[in-house]
Amino acid sequence: MSAAAIPLPPALAAMLALAAGTFLLRLSGPALRARVTLPERAGKLLEVSAVLLLAALAATSALTEDRAFTGPARPLGVLTGGVLAWRRAPFLVVVLASAGTTALLRLAGVP
């Protein structure tokens, strides 16, 4: 039996296609950087938009679950992590402090 006769499962084919697409998209940045120039204002807007998008994602994840407010425990945990990240604490400390704060508040009965 030859290798061409072995069927490729659809999930594996999709994974390989997505991996190849991701690789090509990431490769296109350095390859096109010298050829494509953006105006200075557009570059600054792209930087600001990336920060705003991440902030919106963090706020949505921290404040809502199933289209309802999560309660104060999770936002306080995120706030703890944000303050520690701002103070340049190690990543592991930030994650553990955020999770610990949320867990302790929920253990204390805070929703």
Side-chain angles (χ1 to χ4, degrees):
M1 182 177 237
S2 68
I6 298 173
L8 190 63
L12 182 59
M15 272 194 314
L16 291 173
L18 287 172
T22 301
F23 179 74
L24 290 173
L25 187 62
R26 293 189 61 124
L27 185 65
S28 68
L32 296 176
R33 184 157 178 91
R35 294 183 181 183
V36 178
T37 58
L38 294 174
E40 186 178 331
R41 179 164 167 79
K44 288 186 180 189
L45 285 174
L46 284 173
E47 289 176 16
V48 169
S49 65
V51 171
L52 288 175
L53 182 63
L54 285 173
L57 178 64
T60 303
S61 298
L63 299 175
T64 62
E65 185 175 322
D66 295 331
R67 298 184 180 178
F69 180 62
T70 61
R74 188 185 300 172
L76 288 172
V78 171
L79 178 65
T80 301
V83 169
L84 288 173
W86 175 59
R87 301 289 295 165
R88 301 198 187 276
F91 181 72
L92 185 60
V93 172
V94 171
V95 170
L96 291 176
S98 297
T101 300
T102 303
L104 288 174
L105 286 171
R106 288 187 175 162
L107 188 64
V110 177

